[in-house]
Amino acid sequence: MKKIAAKAGMILALLVIGSKSIVTNAQAQGPTTATLNVMPLPAKVQISSGNLKIDEGFGVAFEGHREPRLERAGERFLVQMHRLTGIVVGTTPRDAAKATLVVSTDHESKPVQEIGEDEAYTLDVTASGAKIHAANPLGVMHGLQTFLQLVAITPDGFTVPAVHIEDVPRFPWRGLMIDVARHFAPVEVVKRNLDGMEAVKMNVFHWHLSENQGFRVESHKYPKLQQQGSDGQFYTQEEIRDVIGYARDRGIRVVPEFDMPGHSTAWFVGHPELASGSGPYQIERRWGVFDPAMDPTNEKTYKFLNELIAEMTKLFPDQFFHIGGDEVNGKEWDTNTKIQSYMKAHGIKNNEALQAYFSQRVQELVVKHGKTPVGWDEILVPGVPKTIVIQSWRGAESLAAAAKQGYRGILSNGYYLDLGWSAARHYAIDPLGGAAASLTPEQQKQVLGGESCMWSEYVNAENIDSRIWPRNAAIAERLWSPKEVTDVHSMYERMASEAQRLEWLGLTHGTYQRNLLQRIAGAATPAELTALRTLTKALEPVKDYAREKMAAIEPTSQTSLNRVVDAVALESQTSRRFSEGVDEYLSTSCKDSARAAELRAQLALWAGNDAKLQPLAQRSALVQEAAPASAALSQAAAVAIAALDKVMQGAPLTDDQKKQQIDALNAAEQQAHKSQLTLPALAAFQKLIEAASNGGACAK
Amino acid sequence: MKKIAAKAGMILALLVIGSKSIVTNAQAQGPTTATLNVMPLPAKVQISSGNLKIDEGFGVAFEGHREPRLERAGERFLVQMHRLTGIVVGTTPRDAAKATLVVSTDHESKPVQEIGEDEAYTLDVTASGAKIHAANPLGVMHGLQTFLQLVAITPDGFTVPAVHIEDVPRFPWRGLMIDVARHFAPVEVVKRNLDGMEAVKMNVFHWHLSENQGFRVESHKYPKLQQQGSDGQFYTQEEIRDVIGYARDRGIRVVPEFDMPGHSTAWFVGHPELASGSGPYQIERRWGVFDPAMDPTNEKTYKFLNELIAEMTKLFPDQFFHIGGDEVNGKEWDTNTKIQSYMKAHGIKNNEALQAYFSQRVQELVVKHGKTPVGWDEILVPGVPKTIVIQSWRGAESLAAAAKQGYRGILSNGYYLDLGWSAARHYAIDPLGGAAASLTPEQQKQVLGGESCMWSEYVNAENIDSRIWPRNAAIAERLWSPKEVTDVHSMYERMASEAQRLEWLGLTHGTYQRNLLQRIAGAATPAELTALRTLTKALEPVKDYAREKMAAIEPTSQTSLNRVVDAVALESQTSRRFSEGVDEYLSTSCKDSARAAELRAQLALWAGNDAKLQPLAQRSALVQEAAPASAALSQAAAVAIAALDKVMQGAPLTDDQKKQQIDALNAAEQQAHKSQLTLPALAAFQKLIEAASNGGACAK
């Protein structure tokens, strides 16, 4: 999953100013669509007048094609309706004559869900009832989720607005990858995230099952894989089948990944004979790219993999089978004389060629067992069959180049959830943007969609939901909605609403953060707890791969994730709203005094917060750890107040004063880094300083 | 469960003043015990200096007697330790040499847990390690929970204070009854409440399984009971066994209750032949006491019950078997000529005697199948065998009278969680208080303990946790800790801490309230949501059985529980703290001006809150419903401000002014009742008015 390369290609923005890439010039939505609280936004919406009332008489019925999966979808829908409204709505579908919502399905979908199946649906709501129509159950499930999103509390109780929706996804591959290998994710965690995927119409769960740190699936053929390679944390085959069924019920395909020939230390604990080194091997506890790699020159490796792939392709019904293929550093190959001899004997010039040889052999095994291989960019080498699918961590350029050659691809570059980017930044990335925009329509079809990726170095069962959600909903919208849907403000409003709905469906992103703060605070007074909340709502963890570099002790899989940096949201909505407020204030040429007062009140709250937090920091080591960030926030806010006051007074800052203030902001950011935290509002603070400076936008 | 009788014996306090029964003169705790954050407080505590650090090296080991249940307790302990600290502490017990906490167990406990088994333990913590010693696994589990409660975040990270604890329960029967019949409680709800019981050392789960509204357990012998009497909401026998095993793992006995001969409409849907009326019967949807009752004069009734009791006594291993026996209104008996003839023929004088006859026959069946009958007060009639156990909803007088006659009893009067009493009010009730205080020591032993009761008219899977917790912890302490432990302030402080810990163990009382408020609020602005929180934190649902009387439409099992009255806590901690503040202020002869300023700030927040909430009330029908209570709070707070200002200014209120102000408070309370809500701070408001009045405590 290419951490090293990503690191090399990315400049760590220590100076925060300008590092936020909020999309400010996004194309505005048509007013009818934008007001509809649905995420992802549907392809076509017509709003009528009137509302359908949801009350204790509400019921759902199925017409046309029937199957148990639809019945279960109906029951799940009713449970979700009950959760979202608290209304006693019954638990089973009923006769159409007595139903408020009638669902009509033309025919069944494929026995094993396929890419490109028809997922379209129409939804009609009037004051007297509602209808969903779809070709097959996949569209039905999407339509039911849209209906649930439309339910709102109004002066008439819970209602759904009268509306006509025709909806169809833009891309057929809309995935979420979860790395369950670096930190294990129990079945319940996987399931609630599948619920979240269904809610936002994602349809591929990419299950990253093996890594240096763990082999997470039971093999009957080679039980030492999980017995010695997982610390007992793996999925039984029964659990795997259960999850696959759970996913199918929600219109979601499950693509397993077995990462080879690198990222595979955990395999070698039980099977050192697969490795290129001499062993013995232990489960890796550290993060990064490591030397162990499979031996591509040993026929026994392929014999083993043939058996394993035979077993796993039977277990996982999806047509696609992911073989990883990323980040081999080649060191074990370089030092293995047998491998070096083999390379010479067979004219294999370098490690890249050796990996290509391995990849080709493994792909042949996958094809032999009836599946289509998927792999990271590295598997795309000259001569590889056109049937493979490339998952691109390298970016749209790479994807476009592949598409021109006739290869199908999915984009993950720009969708790495662990990097802590804002939802807007992910949202701005289009699988058909950049180099892909100039592809022919036929070539563009080769771009199947994208996948968000949840790599799990700093993610465990407690906080994984808060690292995926709600930002993943923005990526889901990018992959489902028409290309023109780019209004960031609307996206954030709907994402906030969806974040709450997802909690009702069982996800824990909000709950988790509240509980973790309480744990950090211990026996805090209400005032101290408020101060801690004020602080943490203003912070974000440092971005990209900065955290590992800042840690005093190298983090491992045994590192506790119980600190402030683990508790704060990856995107601070408070800071985002403050920044929006600054932009709006500046856009009025600093004339909106009510707005200025609001901004000043927020800044004053921040400026005075550190003093309020201090008593608690003296009592809790976990609060104390964030004390530098707390001081930094208060100091930076004081600087911003001074700048704002200058703007309001019309007394420009001198160049020296400006420089001092910007230096102070940079110092504050550096200080926050001591807590592995960043202050996302600093860019807005700098705007205030710029505005206040001699010749600044609002200086008089 | 005697709603009618309870209603008759209780005067609805429409005038709130004086209706709060906070224990203000509670005996103070010794300082060492009171500072220990453990609930229930242990029997004996000695605090030393130093702390034991909890870090990634923490481990637990078992010595002496070993069994799988102890291993599981150790694993559960480690999971809970991880949740409470976030520290990666491993998942399995280890060798004593490597363990931080060594647990030593002398011998096994009884195969089926018995009343009066040794539950004592000792816990020793030093800076270098900790030891728990107990005679059997029951004490071990209590000791582990105490250890977890002692874990706190400090300047040194998570630590446990050095301490020596010798702990033993005061009563052997410390129960929680959950009525899963009026509203069904899924297995997961039962399990998480068993976790809560373990946390506060309760040891009896009384499972109220049958009612007019449902028969909730699978019978193989008479499957129509659950098939026609439960709307499909029942526990399979496999689930029952699973719950019993889960409870046993936590040192909790499971006592089933099959309520007879009344409260049994749901039985008659499938088996009308058991009833005294002519049928047919439907599952009852309303609340209250209804006419249907079993026919005590029909031998077939006893034949049926013999078979059912045979089946159920096999399913439930506990020695005790609860046969209900409460609240028969006798109407079906009065109008059944066959029953009337039988009574004449057998010299049965009245319905009470008929019920006694039925009760005696059923008790014989229970004894025949090897169990000890338990029943509500009504089963105690002259001549009934001394082996039965009386569960008293009538009160300590009734229990004392029974004890004098040699009957064992458990107290539930005063522990009805559904009545919405404060924790302090429950806490003040002692099973050996009142009439029982004058019992001889030998007679006092007949009082086995008590049970809190969660009747479920207004309780479903969503809000049940918030109706049981955290107040149930106060009852648990009353039943475990020494009689002298009565410091209410300490109780509330420790209960607040325990409330948070219970959330980490999986209970949802806090989460639920936040989520439900969000649901009620819909698309609220942050300011509106804050206003809704401010309002709801100041309110409580009306007490006792007032809610049913105030409902515009008669509530049933089909009524949605999604309103403000369902969302607010049963005890407002904000109001309680405000009231404490008023008491403290008055105790300084109104001289503490800082305190006055705090009180005034809270009052000002309340006084201004209604205006802030209004926009949201216009948009959400569920907020609108609470608008009268919102207006009432703001109006009453304005009155209290006026009184406080008078106190501060030393300008006494005239008698007329005082009367006007008290009238205004009463009017506010009446207005809040329109939303089925009450304003618990009004008593404190009245104290301010009294203090401000001519001749009042602080008037000058």
Side-chain angles (χ1 to χ4, degrees), chain B residues 197 207 334-335 344 400 521 584 670 673:
Chain B
M197 290 176 67
W207 211 346
D334 293 338
T335 54
K344 269 183 206 149
E584 286 164 19
Q670 289 302 322
H673 288 185

Side-chain angles (χ1 to χ4, degrees), chain A residues 534-598:
Chain A
T534 299
L535 170 65
T536 51
K537 280 184 179 173
L539 301 172
E540 295 173 2
V542 289
K543 304 288 149 185
D544 302 321
Y545 300 105
R547 184 167 170 184
E548 283 162 58
K549 296 187 180 174
M550 291 172 183
I553 300 167
E554 186 187 358
T556 71
S557 59
Q558 305 304 296
T559 302
S560 301
L561 301 177
N562 62 356
R563 300 155 56 216
V564 169
V565 65
D566 300 305
V568 303
L570 295 189
E571 181 170 18
S572 159
Q573 297 303 323
T574 304
S575 300
R576 184 182 63 75
R577 281 193 296 265
F578 178 84
S579 302
E580 278 181 6
V582 168
D583 288 343
E584 286 164 20
Y585 176 61
L586 298 180
S587 76
T588 67
S589 302
C590 308
K591 290 202 167 68
D592 183 345
S593 57
R595 174 73 70 180
E598 276 175 32

Side-chain angles (χ1 to χ4, degrees), chain B residues 232-246:
Chain B
Q233 293 192 306
F234 64 90
Y235 309 100
T236 65
Q237 294 203 356
E238 190 183 339
E239 287 172 331
I240 297 273
R241 279 187 288 267
D242 178 41
V243 167
I244 290 169
Y246 194 90

